[in-house]
Amino acid sequence: MESKKGYSKIGEFKPMDLLACAAAREVRDGEIVFAGTGLPMLAIMLAQHTQAPTSVCIYESGSIDGRPIDLPTSVADARCSYQAAVAHGLTDVFEQLQSGRVDLAYLGGAEVDLYGNINCTFMGGPTGKRLTGSGGNSDIHSLAKRSVLIMPQINQKRRFVERVSYITSPGWRIPHWPDQEWVPKQEVYGAAFQGGPAAVISDMGVYRFDENGEMYLDTFHPGFSPEECRDNCCFELNISRVRGETPTPTYEELDLLRNTIDPEGIIIK
């Protein structure tokens, strides 16, 4: 693989490889990135090995600019603090958010809606289910300049809804109290406004948000079609702006993921 150049072909990469590469490509050199456990770790480490070598990673447990040799198993893994500029705690890293220093954050959730609102608190009516809750999700989605949401979608259409059951974390449009009229987030946040969701990366495609804060299909993953992406949403997804297929992982990216970043298959497996 090391001797090959260019983009890999179908059958040479796994879905997780494609997700990690698509997420990594969202990072710009020099940015401060807030990453959580799992696939976001792969993404930021891959970005630092490729197009964003001077990007800085913040892990929620308290380390800033760590450069672990081995892939940490979670944000609480001591390896996150290897060569870190700061190894402190939750308070310090969330201060970076509140002061407007975080350029990009990776998030997930149970539901995402047309405007990029996230729900990880409660689903359904009176007999619904209580979920894990916000954790740092609301703070991160509210205060990062850009958020990238990583969501499963295949056979899970219920996760992509027109309006989430409960707004844990605000997207581009939110209800304004007390009349609950849906208005732009910036109108509600005022001077505290930093930004909002930039992309949703699923196992079917990459979605972005237009000038009205509404989700549209940007690229569809190999093996799927724009129509399939639209049909796996609970709202009428805009597919008129699609640019084509999501670029597959390059052979260099695959080599880094499998032999340098995650040789044990902790996440890639």
Side-chain angles (χ1 to χ4, degrees), residues 193-208:
F193 175 78
Q194 295 286 352
V200 179
I201 300 174
S202 84
D203 43 14
M204 295 185 72
V206 177
Y207 306 84
R208 300 195 187 276

Side-chain angles (χ1 to χ4, degrees), residues 68-245:
I69 299 172
D70 301 313
L71 181 71
T73 55
S74 74
V75 294
D77 193 320
R79 286 175 286 191
C80 292
S81 298
Y82 181 73
Q83 294 187 334
V86 175
H88 197 248
L90 287 168
T91 302
D92 192 71
V93 296
F94 276 92
E95 282 176 355
Q96 308 307 311
L97 272 166
Q98 293 164 356
S99 59
R101 293 191 179 96
V102 174
D103 299 299
L104 174 68
Y106 292 110
L107 290 169
E111 290 182 319
V112 61
D113 70 16
L114 178 63
Y115 299 111
N117 295 300
I118 300 173
N119 173 26
C120 50
T121 302
F122 186 84
M123 291 180 71
T127 59
K129 292 185 177 181
R130 177 80 184 187
L131 306 175
T132 55
S134 172
N137 202 300
S138 182
D139 304 73
I140 297 165
H141 203 39
S142 297
L143 299 171
K145 295 172 185 175
R146 302 192 329 278
S147 299
V148 172
L149 316 180
I150 302 173
M151 300 281 294
Q153 187 181 13
I154 298 173
N155 298 323
Q156 299 197 52
K157 179 178 179 177
R158 67 188 185 279
R159 289 179 177 268
F160 284 69
V161 297
E162 186 168 1
R163 292 189 179 180
V164 292
S165 306
Y166 183 98
I167 298 178
T168 305
S169 310
W172 285 115
R173 294 181 72 87
I174 55 177
H176 193 194
W177 300 96
D179 57 13
Q180 298 191 49
E181 178 186 359
W182 282 63
V183 300
K185 174 184 173 181
Q186 187 171 6
E187 184 177 318
V188 178
Y189 274 53
F193 175 78
Q194 295 286 352
V200 179
I201 300 174
S202 84
D203 43 14
M204 295 185 72
V206 177
Y207 306 84
R208 300 195 187 276
F209 297 86
D210 63 19
E211 57 278 2
N212 297 315
E214 296 186 2
M215 189 188 303
Y216 68 90
L217 179 64
D218 183 40
T219 63
F220 53 94
H221 296 338
F224 297 99
S225 68
E227 290 74 22
E228 287 175 311
C229 293
R230 181 187 60 200
D231 293 344
N232 272 271
C233 295
C234 294
F235 55 89
E236 190 62 27
L237 175 71
N238 179 5
I239 61 174
S240 65
R241 301 175 62 164
V242 66
R243 294 187 296 116
E245 279 194 345

Side-chain angles (χ1 to χ4, degrees), residues 9-68:
K9 300 176 179 62
I10 292 178
E12 295 180 323
F13 62 89
K14 298 177 181 178
M16 185 64 78
D17 298 323
L18 181 60
L19 286 172
C21 292
R25 292 166 186 167
E26 297 294 321
V27 183
R28 302 164 189 164
D29 199 20
E31 287 193 317
I32 297 175
V33 181
F34 207 106
T37 296
L39 197 146
M41 290 179 159
L42 285 178
I44 181 58
M45 291 181 71
L46 179 59
Q48 288 174 332
H49 278 87
T50 52
Q51 85 281 354
T54 66
S55 57
V56 172
C57 180
I58 294 180
Y59 287 124
E60 190 173 345
S61 58
S63 68
I64 300 176
D65 201 19
R67 297 282 173 158

